[in-house]
Amino acid sequence: MIVQACLNGARPSDFHPGLPLTPEAMAADALACIKAGAAELHIHPRNGDHAESLLAVDSTLAVVRAACPGTLVGVSTGAWIENDIEKTRACISNWSVLPDYASVNLSEPDAPRVMELLRSIGVGIEAGLATVADAERLVALADHQKVLRVLIEIEEQERSAAYALAEGIVAVLARAPVTRSILLHGFDATAWDFVRLARQRNYSTRIGLEDCRHMPDGTLAADNAALVAGAVAIFRRI
């Protein structure tokens, strides 16, 4: 059961004054988040124009790993990043600095092939599930147990509906059964609800500017490290 720091995601540059968009800024934030109690990192590398880029994985990971040696670092493989199936595959195949794991959204058409590709180069997989249909697609795969963990990520903003969706996904996983660990998180209005629910269920969770910019009391977070410290405090409560 861990708290993972998600530093930037696909957020635009004006989302928060402290959003890290360069390798150096991501590395500095990563180190601060580890000091605040995060066990792992999830980042979306950006190119020189600050756009998400799978081509920027090598250079970004090199800088982040130098700042946080020994810390597991993951990246996204979201189809929107390159917006081209063949280019996405080519970028992943050509990584020379490998992430420890990469998230794959089961809602995306090429997800099974991306998962196969990641396994072939020795990168762990976070299987991203946002809907019950995503969960059903995962468990239908013959190699669904060959993932590092299951990432339940709920975008629904109304709390009761979001909880119901998460329960539906968990039910599908339980029936399979899928025995991999679960990391549960929400976005924006539900981010802290799901941090608390993850603590209650003994799941891992994540927090950072990819998921929200406000603290549990509604105030604007100073930075990623403040968000991580808030989640760690929830996880440490008895």
Side-chain angles (χ1 to χ4, degrees):
M1 192 170 72
I2 64 160
V3 173
Q4 181 188 88
C6 52
L7 302 184
N8 53 4
R11 299 292 192 179
S13 58
D14 61 355
F15 178 72
H16 187 280
L19 187 74
L21 299 173
T22 66
E24 293 73 21
M26 292 180 216
D29 259 27
L31 181 57
C33 287
I34 297 303
K35 289 180 177 179
E40 295 181 9
L41 304 166
H42 173 79
I43 59 177
H44 288 227
R46 307 290 184 107
N47 62 23
D49 294 326
H50 296 166
E52 294 177 88
S53 171
L54 295 181
L55 290 173
V57 167
D58 288 353
S59 57
T60 301
L61 285 183
V63 175
V64 171
R65 285 226 175 93
C68 306
T71 299
L72 297 182
V73 184
V75 301
S76 174
T77 62
W80 69 87
I81 296 174
E82 301 299 337
N83 200 30
D84 181 292
I85 287 176
E86 294 303 326
K87 186 175 180 181
T88 295
R89 294 181 185 178
C91 288
I92 293 171
S93 297
N94 290 320
W95 285 342
S96 59
V97 181
L98 297 179
D100 296 287
Y101 53 84
S103 60
V104 180
N105 302 311
L106 268 293
S107 61
E108 296 174 354
D110 203 40
R113 180 67 185 91
V114 171
M115 293 167 74
E116 291 174 7
L117 181 55
L118 290 169
R119 289 192 194 96
S120 74
I121 61 174
V123 174
I125 297 165
E126 285 186 324
L129 311 179
T131 66
V132 171
D134 292 348
E136 291 171 341
R137 187 182 191 198
L138 174 66
V139 302
L141 298 176
D143 50 6
H144 67 264
Q145 296 284 19
K146 296 180 181 179
V147 298
L148 173 67
R149 65 169 67 98
V150 175
L151 181 63
I152 300 178
E153 39 193 356
I154 306 299
E155 298 183 9
E156 168 63 51
Q157 294 295 283
E158 197 281 313
R159 185 168 67 173
S160 61
Y163 278 13
L165 179 53
E167 294 293 355
I169 293 171
V170 170
V172 172
L173 299 177
R175 287 197 303 269
V178 174
T179 59
R180 310 312 293 166
S181 63
I182 291 174
L183 189 156
L184 172 68
H185 75 96
F187 288 99
D188 294 326
T190 64
W192 292 105
D193 293 320
F194 279 109
V195 169
R196 297 185 191 96
L197 183 60
R199 176 65 184 87
Q200 293 168 12
R201 297 288 183 86
N202 291 322
Y203 296 155
S204 292
T205 195
R206 77 177 202 188
I207 200 72
L209 291 172
E210 175 169 355
D211 289 350
C212 69
R213 58 185 169 188
H214 293 101
M215 299 297 291
D217 64 1
T219 59
L220 184 69
D223 50 27
N224 274 308
L227 291 167
V228 167
V232 169
I234 291 171
F235 264 45
R236 288 177 176 169
R237 290 175 191 161
I238 304 299

